[in-house]
Amino acid sequence: MAIKIKILKHPELTWFENLYIPQILSGLLITIKHLLRFQPITIQYPEEVKELPERYRGIHVMPADDEGEIRCVACKLCEVACPTQAISIVAEPADDYGIERRPKVYNIDFMRCVFCGFCVEACPCDALRMGMKYELASYNRAGLVHTKEVFFDPNVKSDAPRDNANYLYEMGKGENLDSADEIEKVKELTGAYIESESQPQDTENPFKSAGS
Amino acid sequence: MERVEFVSEEQVVINEDGTRTETMMLNMGPQHPATHGVLRIVLHLDGEMVVKAVPHIGYLHRGIEKLCEHITYQQCLPYTDRMDYIASICNNIGYILACEKLLGIEDEIPERAKVAEVILFELGRIESHLVGIGTNALDLGAMSAFLYCFKERERIYDILETVCGARLTTSYPRVGGLPLDLPENFEEVVRNFLKIFPKTLHEVESLLTRNKIWIERTKGVAVISAEDAVNLGLTGPALRGSGVPYDVRKATPYLGYENYDFEVPVTSEGDAYSRYLCRVEEMHQSLKIIHQALDNLPDGPFIADLPDIVLPEKELTYTKMESLIRHFVIVYEGFKPPAGEIQHAVENPKGELSYYLISDGSGKPYRMRVRGPSFVNMQALSKMVEGALVADVIAAIGSLDIVLGEIDR
């Protein structure tokens, strides 16, 4: 394939152009034209705010489910996907069966976060989204570590179907897990897993109501 | 090639009448505004003449190459934003293409993704050249040209923001295609930009190209011959300004660049003014490419159907257990390219940017090496400014258009 080349020549200036003054004047003409047109391209920031596109990647938001609860199941996939290790999660059992998990602690450190959006891409239950806010000033470092209470926004609703094990199990069987021997089975299966989690020892036994 | 001494001895000359003459050492930077970041140049001056200029780098070193060895291929993407932050979308696309080559899936990338990447790449090129010309003019005292350039750059950032979600740190394409389809109004906003931009480009040209003051400051300044340019490994406008018609888009086409009709601008003088002319013409050529790409933007899938590499659709992840498991595996372990090594070069606005990736078969790169154009182009600085005036050093740095984020990595 022959390469198309465009050879550029240095322009030859006429004697008129060589007289500095006309060039200065023609330059001034352009700037004065802009001045007279008076179309400022800047905006008066705190008073005026720029309109952001739909995909803008701002400070994270946690949408609410149908019951107005946090959707996160503490699967820690966002923590894994984060290239800067900005997310830290501690899980706890969300229900008496010890099947569902929810975050006990969900922190994003905005001193590390680079707003790449990989956490949102990784989230398998639409519990995390990129929001529209970007003002992140703080007087101290602690103020830049946001918790789940800050992210959670009950006004943002998510209608993505939930896919946790209990939900699918109930849907598939068409029955609830309330009979005593079923609970025992689940306890046997998941007990070892729950204990291996890094949870503080002083928390209450998640199965306390199972035996009662 | 002459060896550049890191710490030079004082050159003391005893004159015939017994007086001493010695060169003065002057640190230019790292805080000097005309060094485009944190470059420090140790200038050895004889009066106002530069005897020797030694650039010292490393003030912005973050160890990106090493950091990338500890994270998955996907997670390296935001790090590439932060190398050449003036045209981060170009770095992103270059990295993604290298990963695709490593995986051997170049042929499976949908056409829509390729064309979209070409458009974004050329927008990145225009954006980078606007900054390059604008700051070069600003350093030499032409403030209005800089402002008009930045006004247009803002428009490109708005387009990138609608497509990628971020203005500067785009992190947009993914291995296999695009993570999200182009927004509905994409064609409209790009066409709108194509309509407005030539007017501003014309204004900038009329402010500079035939301006006697601009020509006096740049013509015959910071000259590098074609032979030296090739020997030093210069690429991009710095090489083409010296008369060597090398463009990666033509030499080893990627993203289907062989199908686009565009010319490689070349000037033979090799001075700062020639590089400026090359950049302006490249912007015209980029506009031509964007026009062609927009006309041929196909519909259809925007990401390849590769279950081992590409994340499943969100809907499937929410509802299907198989997709959910696949989603977990890809996020946790990353895709695993076969063991081997590849090198992939793209024509970044500043020159040839190439990624060298070694895979050991795991989900993380064994080694990632970046050949950045700014780093190599900066080597020409010492040669360019030898024997020149101090004020010409500013013109030389500006005309090389270096970005310290990429030099130091």
Side-chain angles (χ1 to χ4, degrees), chain A residues 108-171:
Chain A
I108 299 182
D109 183 349
F110 283 106
M111 289 174 284
R112 297 189 72 97
C113 179
V114 295
F115 297 96
C116 60
F118 288 0
C119 45
V120 177
E121 213 176 286
C123 184
C125 51
D126 196 20
L128 193 67
R129 289 180 187 174
M130 295 311 259
M132 288 288 165
K133 287 185 182 154
Y134 48 82
E135 284 142 337
L136 257 176
S138 170
Y139 281 106
N140 49 38
R141 277 155 189 273
L144 286 169
V145 181
H146 289 195
T147 59
K148 66 176 185 210
E149 286 78 20
V150 180
F151 297 127
F152 181 57
D153 186 352
N155 299 321
V156 181
K157 296 276 181 204
S158 169
D159 51 0
R162 294 198 64 161
D163 61 348
N164 56 62
N166 197 16
Y167 175 81
L168 287 177
Y169 187 88
E170 288 180 13
M171 290 295 286

Coordinates of all heavy atoms in Angstrom, one line a residue, chain A residues 108-171:
Chain A
I108 N -16.0 3.3 51.2 CA -15.2 3.6 50.0 C -14.3 4.8 50.4 O -14.8 5.8 50.9 CB -16.0 3.9 48.7 CG1 -16.9 2.7 48.3 CG2 -15.1 4.3 47.6 CD1 -17.7 2.9 47.1
D109 N -13.0 4.6 50.2 CA -12.0 5.6 50.6 C -11.8 6.5 49.3 O -11.2 6.0 48.3 CB -10.7 4.8 51.0 CG -9.7 5.8 51.4 OD1 -9.9 7.0 51.2 OD2 -8.7 5.4 52.0
F110 N -12.3 7.7 49.4 CA -12.2 8.6 48.2 C -10.8 9.2 48.1 O -10.6 10.0 47.2 CB -13.3 9.6 48.2 CG -14.6 9.0 47.8 CD1 -15.6 8.7 48.7 CD2 -14.8 8.6 46.5 CE1 -16.8 8.1 48.3 CE2 -16.0 8.1 46.1 CZ -17.0 7.8 47.0
M111 N -9.9 8.9 49.0 CA -8.6 9.3 48.8 C -7.9 8.3 47.8 O -6.9 8.6 47.2 CB -7.8 9.3 50.1 CG -8.2 10.5 50.9 SD -7.5 10.5 52.6 CE -8.4 9.2 53.4
R112 N -8.5 7.1 47.7 CA -7.9 6.1 46.8 C -8.8 6.0 45.5 O -8.2 5.6 44.5 CB -7.9 4.8 47.5 CG -7.0 4.7 48.7 CD -6.8 3.3 49.2 NE -6.0 2.5 48.3 CZ -4.7 2.3 48.4 NH1 -4.1 2.8 49.5 NH2 -4.0 1.6 47.6
C113 N -10.1 6.1 45.6 CA -11.0 5.9 44.5 C -10.6 6.7 43.3 O -10.3 7.9 43.4 CB -12.4 6.2 44.9 SG -13.6 6.0 43.6
V114 N -10.6 6.1 42.1 CA -10.3 6.8 40.9 C -11.5 7.0 40.0 O -11.3 7.4 38.8 CB -9.1 6.1 40.1 CG1 -7.8 6.2 40.9 CG2 -9.4 4.7 39.7
F115 N -12.7 6.6 40.4 CA -13.9 6.7 39.7 C -13.8 6.0 38.3 O -14.2 6.6 37.3 CB -14.3 8.2 39.5 CG -14.5 8.9 40.8 CD1 -13.5 9.6 41.5 CD2 -15.7 8.8 41.4 CE1 -13.8 10.2 42.7 CE2 -16.0 9.4 42.7 CZ -15.0 10.1 43.3
C116 N -13.3 4.8 38.3 CA -13.2 4.1 37.0 C -14.5 3.4 36.7 O -14.8 3.1 35.6 CB -12.1 3.1 37.1 SG -12.3 1.9 38.4
G117 N -15.4 3.2 37.8 CA -16.6 2.5 37.6 C -16.6 1.0 37.5 O -17.6 0.4 37.2
F118 N -15.4 0.4 37.8 CA -15.4 -1.1 37.7 C -16.2 -1.7 38.7 O -16.7 -2.8 38.5 CB -13.9 -1.5 37.8 CG -13.1 -1.2 36.6 CD1 -13.6 -0.6 35.5 CD2 -11.7 -1.5 36.6 CE1 -12.8 -0.3 34.4 CE2 -10.9 -1.3 35.5 CZ -11.5 -0.6 34.4
C119 N -16.3 -1.1 39.9 CA -17.1 -1.7 41.0 C -18.6 -1.8 40.6 O -19.3 -2.8 40.8 CB -17.0 -0.8 42.3 SG -17.2 0.9 42.0
V120 N -19.1 -0.8 39.8 CA -20.4 -0.8 39.4 C -20.6 -1.9 38.3 O -21.6 -2.6 38.3 CB -20.8 0.6 38.9 CG1 -22.2 0.6 38.3 CG2 -20.7 1.6 40.0
E121 N -19.6 -2.0 37.5 CA -19.7 -3.0 36.4 C -19.7 -4.4 37.0 O -20.3 -5.3 36.5 CB -18.5 -2.8 35.5 CG -18.7 -3.2 34.1 CD -17.5 -2.9 33.3 OE1 -17.2 -1.7 33.1 OE2 -16.8 -3.8 32.9
A122 N -19.0 -4.5 38.2 CA -18.8 -5.8 38.8 C -20.0 -6.2 39.6 O -20.3 -7.4 39.9 CB -17.6 -5.9 39.7
C123 N -20.8 -5.2 40.1 CA -21.9 -5.5 41.0 C -22.9 -6.5 40.4 O -23.5 -6.1 39.4 CB -22.6 -4.3 41.5 SG -23.8 -4.6 42.8
P124 N -23.2 -7.6 41.0 CA -24.1 -8.6 40.4 C -25.6 -8.4 40.8 O -26.4 -9.1 40.4 CB -23.6 -9.9 40.8 CG -23.0 -9.7 42.1 CD -22.5 -8.2 42.2
C125 N -25.8 -7.4 41.7 CA -27.2 -7.2 42.1 C -27.7 -5.8 42.1 O -28.5 -5.4 42.8 CB -27.5 -7.9 43.4 SG -26.3 -7.4 44.7
D126 N -27.0 -4.9 41.3 CA -27.4 -3.6 41.1 C -27.5 -2.8 42.4 O -28.5 -2.1 42.7 CB -28.8 -3.5 40.3 CG -29.0 -2.1 39.8 OD1 -28.0 -1.3 39.7 OD2 -30.2 -1.7 39.5
A127 N -26.6 -3.1 43.3 CA -26.6 -2.4 44.6 C -25.7 -1.2 44.6 O -25.7 -0.5 45.6 CB -26.1 -3.4 45.7
L128 N -25.0 -0.9 43.6 CA -24.1 0.2 43.5 C -24.2 0.9 42.2 O -24.2 0.2 41.1 CB -22.6 -0.3 43.8 CG -21.6 0.7 44.1 CD1 -21.9 1.4 45.5 CD2 -20.2 0.1 44.2
R129 N -24.3 2.2 42.2 CA -24.3 2.9 40.9 C -23.4 4.1 41.0 O -23.1 4.6 42.1 CB -25.7 3.3 40.6 CG -26.6 2.2 40.2 CD -28.0 2.8 39.9 NE -28.9 1.7 39.7 CZ -30.2 2.0 39.5 NH1 -30.7 3.2 39.6 NH2 -31.1 1.0 39.3
M130 N -23.0 4.6 39.9 CA -22.2 5.9 39.9 C -23.2 7.0 40.0 O -24.2 7.1 39.1 CB -21.3 6.0 38.7 CG -20.2 5.0 38.6 SD -19.3 4.8 40.1 CE -17.8 5.7 39.7
G131 N -23.0 7.9 40.9 CA -24.0 9.0 41.0 C -23.6 10.3 40.3 O -22.7 10.2 39.4
M132 N -24.2 11.4 40.6 CA -24.0 12.6 39.8 C -23.2 13.6 40.6 O -23.0 14.7 40.1 CB -25.3 13.1 39.3 CG -26.0 12.3 38.3 SD -25.1 12.5 36.7 CE -25.8 11.2 35.8
K133 N -22.9 13.3 41.8 CA -22.2 14.3 42.7 C -20.7 14.2 42.5 O -20.2 13.1 42.3 CB -22.6 14.1 44.1 CG -24.0 14.6 44.4 CD -24.4 14.5 45.8 CE -25.9 15.0 46.0 NZ -26.4 14.4 47.2
Y134 N -20.0 15.3 42.6 CA -18.6 15.2 42.5 C -17.9 16.1 43.5 O -16.7 16.2 43.4 CB -18.2 15.6 41.0 CG -18.8 16.9 40.5 CD1 -18.3 18.1 40.8 CD2 -20.0 16.8 39.7 CE1 -19.0 19.2 40.4 CE2 -20.6 17.9 39.2 CZ -20.1 19.1 39.6 OH -20.7 20.3 39.1
E135 N -18.6 16.8 44.3 CA -17.9 17.7 45.3 C -17.4 16.9 46.5 O -18.2 16.3 47.2 CB -18.9 18.8 45.7 CG -19.0 19.8 44.6 CD -20.4 20.4 44.5 OE1 -21.4 19.7 44.9 OE2 -20.6 21.5 44.0
L136 N -16.1 16.8 46.7 CA -15.6 15.9 47.6 C -14.6 16.5 48.6 O -13.7 15.9 49.1 CB -14.7 14.8 46.8 CG -15.4 13.5 46.6 CD1 -14.5 12.6 45.7 CD2 -15.7 12.8 47.9
A137 N -14.8 17.8 48.9 CA -13.9 18.5 49.8 C -14.2 18.0 51.2 O -15.3 17.8 51.6 CB -14.0 20.0 49.7
S138 N -13.1 18.0 52.0 CA -13.3 17.6 53.4 C -12.1 18.3 54.2 O -11.1 18.5 53.7 CB -13.2 16.1 53.6 OG -13.1 15.8 54.9
Y139 N -12.4 18.5 55.5 CA -11.4 19.2 56.3 C -10.4 18.1 56.8 O -9.3 18.5 57.3 CB -12.0 19.9 57.5 CG -12.6 21.2 57.1 CD1 -14.0 21.4 56.9 CD2 -11.7 22.3 56.8 CE1 -14.5 22.6 56.6 CE2 -12.2 23.5 56.4 CZ -13.6 23.7 56.3 OH -14.1 24.9 55.9
N140 N -10.8 16.9 56.8 CA -9.8 15.9 57.3 C -10.0 14.6 56.5 O -10.9 14.4 55.7 CB -10.1 15.6 58.8 CG -11.5 15.3 59.1 OD1 -12.2 14.7 58.3 ND2 -12.0 15.8 60.2
R141 N -9.0 13.7 56.8 CA -9.0 12.5 56.0 C -10.2 11.6 56.3 O -10.8 10.9 55.4 CB -7.7 11.7 56.3 CG -6.6 12.2 55.5 CD -5.3 11.9 56.2 NE -4.2 12.5 55.5 CZ -3.6 12.0 54.5 NH1 -3.9 10.8 54.1 NH2 -2.6 12.7 53.9
A142 N -10.6 11.6 57.5 CA -11.8 10.7 57.9 C -13.0 11.1 57.1 O -13.8 10.2 56.8 CB -12.0 10.8 59.4
G143 N -13.1 12.3 56.8 CA -14.3 12.8 56.1 C -14.4 12.3 54.6 O -15.4 12.4 54.0
L144 N -13.3 11.8 54.1 CA -13.2 11.3 52.8 C -13.5 9.8 52.7 O -13.5 9.2 51.6 CB -11.9 11.6 52.1 CG -11.7 13.1 51.8 CD1 -10.3 13.4 51.4 CD2 -12.6 13.4 50.6
V145 N -13.7 9.1 53.8 CA -14.0 7.7 53.8 C -15.5 7.7 54.0 O -16.0 7.9 55.1 CB -13.3 6.9 54.9 CG1 -13.7 5.5 54.8 CG2 -11.8 7.1 54.7
H146 N -16.3 7.4 52.9 CA -17.7 7.4 53.0 C -18.2 6.1 53.4 O -17.7 5.0 53.0 CB -18.3 7.9 51.7 CG -18.1 9.3 51.4 ND1 -18.8 10.0 50.5 CD2 -17.2 10.2 52.0 CE1 -18.4 11.3 50.4 NE2 -17.4 11.4 51.3
T147 N -19.3 6.0 54.2 CA -19.9 4.8 54.6 C -21.2 4.5 53.8 O -21.6 5.3 53.1 CB -20.2 4.8 56.1 OG1 -21.1 5.9 56.3 CG2 -19.0 5.1 56.9
K148 N -21.7 3.3 54.1 CA -22.9 2.9 53.3 C -24.1 3.8 53.6 O -25.0 4.0 52.8 CB -23.3 1.5 53.6 CG -23.7 1.2 55.0 CD -24.1 -0.3 55.2 CE -24.6 -0.4 56.6 NZ -24.5 -1.7 57.2
E149 N -24.1 4.4 54.8 CA -25.2 5.3 55.2 C -25.2 6.6 54.3 O -26.2 7.2 53.9 CB -25.1 5.8 56.6 CG -25.5 4.7 57.6 CD -24.4 3.7 57.9 OE1 -23.3 4.0 57.6 OE2 -24.8 2.6 58.3
V150 N -24.0 7.0 53.9 CA -23.8 8.1 53.0 C -24.2 7.7 51.6 O -24.9 8.5 50.9 CB -22.4 8.6 53.0 CG1 -22.2 9.8 52.1 CG2 -21.9 9.0 54.4
F151 N -23.9 6.5 51.1 CA -24.2 6.1 49.8 C -25.6 5.8 49.6 O -26.2 6.0 48.5 CB -23.3 4.9 49.4 CG -21.9 5.1 49.4 CD1 -21.0 4.3 50.1 CD2 -21.3 6.2 48.7 CE1 -19.7 4.5 50.1 CE2 -20.0 6.4 48.7 CZ -19.1 5.5 49.4
F152 N -26.2 5.3 50.6 CA -27.6 4.7 50.5 C -28.6 5.9 50.2 O -28.6 6.9 51.0 CB -28.0 4.0 51.7 CG -29.4 3.4 51.6 CD1 -29.7 2.5 50.6 CD2 -30.4 3.8 52.6 CE1 -31.0 2.0 50.5 CE2 -31.6 3.2 52.5 CZ -31.9 2.3 51.4
D153 N -29.3 5.7 49.1 CA -30.3 6.8 48.8 C -31.6 6.1 48.5 O -31.8 5.5 47.5 CB -29.8 7.5 47.5 CG -30.7 8.7 47.2 OD1 -31.8 8.8 47.9 OD2 -30.4 9.5 46.3
P154 N -32.6 6.2 49.5 CA -33.8 5.5 49.4 C -34.7 6.0 48.2 O -35.6 5.3 47.8 CB -34.5 5.7 50.7 CG -33.8 6.8 51.4 CD -32.5 6.9 50.8
N155 N -34.3 7.2 47.7 CA -35.1 7.7 46.6 C -34.8 7.1 45.2 O -35.5 7.1 44.3 CB -34.9 9.2 46.5 CG -35.4 9.9 47.7 OD1 -36.4 9.6 48.3 ND2 -34.6 10.9 48.2
V156 N -33.5 6.5 45.2 CA -33.1 5.8 44.0 C -33.6 4.4 44.1 O -33.2 3.6 44.9 CB -31.6 5.8 43.8 CG1 -31.2 5.2 42.5 CG2 -31.1 7.3 43.8
K157 N -34.5 4.0 43.2 CA -35.1 2.6 43.3 C -34.5 1.8 42.2 O -34.2 2.2 41.1 CB -36.6 2.7 43.0 CG -37.4 3.4 44.1 CD -37.7 2.5 45.3 CE -38.4 3.3 46.3 NZ -38.3 2.8 47.7
S158 N -34.3 0.5 42.5 CA -33.8 -0.4 41.5 C -34.8 -1.5 41.4 O -35.3 -2.1 42.4 CB -32.4 -1.0 42.0 OG -32.1 -2.0 41.2
D159 N -35.1 -1.9 40.2 CA -36.1 -2.9 40.0 C -35.4 -4.2 39.4 O -36.1 -5.0 38.8 CB -37.2 -2.5 39.1 CG -36.8 -1.8 37.8 OD1 -35.5 -1.8 37.6 OD2 -37.6 -1.4 37.0
A160 N -34.1 -4.2 39.5 CA -33.4 -5.4 39.0 C -33.8 -6.6 39.9 O -33.9 -6.5 41.1 CB -31.9 -5.2 39.1
P161 N -34.0 -7.8 39.3 CA -34.4 -8.9 40.1 C -33.3 -9.4 41.0 O -32.1 -9.3 40.7 CB -34.7 -10.0 39.0 CG -34.0 -9.6 37.8 CD -33.9 -8.1 37.9
R162 N -33.7 -9.8 42.2 CA -32.7 -10.2 43.2 C -32.4 -11.7 42.9 O -33.3 -12.5 42.5 CB -33.2 -10.1 44.6 CG -33.4 -8.6 44.9 CD -33.4 -8.4 46.4 NE -32.2 -8.8 47.0 CZ -31.8 -8.5 48.2 NH1 -32.6 -7.7 49.0 NH2 -30.7 -8.9 48.8
D163 N -31.2 -12.1 43.1 CA -30.8 -13.4 42.7 C -30.1 -14.2 43.7 O -29.3 -15.0 43.5 CB -29.9 -13.3 41.4 CG -28.6 -12.6 41.7 OD1 -28.6 -12.0 42.8 OD2 -27.7 -12.6 40.9
N164 N -30.4 -13.9 45.0 CA -29.6 -14.6 46.0 C -30.2 -16.0 46.2 O -31.2 -16.3 45.7 CB -29.6 -13.8 47.4 CG -31.0 -13.6 47.8 OD1 -31.8 -14.5 48.0 ND2 -31.4 -12.3 47.9
A165 N -29.4 -16.8 46.9 CA -29.7 -18.2 46.9 C -31.1 -18.5 47.5 O -31.8 -19.3 47.0 CB -28.6 -19.0 47.7
N166 N -31.4 -17.8 48.6 CA -32.7 -18.1 49.2 C -33.8 -17.8 48.3 O -34.8 -18.6 48.2 CB -32.7 -17.2 50.5 CG -33.8 -17.7 51.4 OD1 -34.3 -18.8 51.3 ND2 -34.2 -16.8 52.4
Y167 N -33.7 -16.7 47.6 CA -34.8 -16.2 46.7 C -35.0 -17.3 45.6 O -36.1 -17.7 45.4 CB -34.3 -14.9 46.1 CG -35.3 -14.4 45.1 CD1 -36.4 -13.7 45.4 CD2 -35.0 -14.5 43.7 CE1 -37.3 -13.2 44.5 CE2 -35.8 -14.0 42.8 CZ -37.0 -13.3 43.1 OH -37.8 -12.8 42.2
L168 N -33.9 -17.7 45.0 CA -34.0 -18.7 43.9 C -34.5 -20.0 44.5 O -35.3 -20.7 43.8 CB -32.6 -18.9 43.3 CG -32.2 -17.8 42.4 CD1 -30.8 -18.1 41.8 CD2 -33.2 -17.5 41.3
Y169 N -34.1 -20.4 45.7 CA -34.5 -21.6 46.3 C -36.0 -21.6 46.5 O -36.7 -22.5 46.1 CB -33.8 -21.8 47.6 CG -34.0 -23.2 48.2 CD1 -33.2 -24.3 47.9 CD2 -35.0 -23.4 49.1 CE1 -33.4 -25.5 48.4 CE2 -35.3 -24.6 49.7 CZ -34.5 -25.7 49.4 OH -34.7 -26.9 49.9
E170 N -36.5 -20.5 47.1 CA -37.9 -20.4 47.4 C -38.7 -20.4 46.1 O -39.8 -21.0 46.0 CB -38.2 -19.1 48.2 CG -37.7 -19.2 49.6 CD -38.0 -18.0 50.4 OE1 -38.7 -17.1 49.9 OE2 -37.4 -17.9 51.5
M171 N -38.2 -19.6 45.1 CA -38.9 -19.6 43.8 C -39.0 -20.9 43.2 O -40.0 -21.3 42.6 CB -38.2 -18.6 42.9 CG -38.3 -17.1 43.3 SD -39.9 -16.5 43.2 CE -40.1 -16.4 41.4

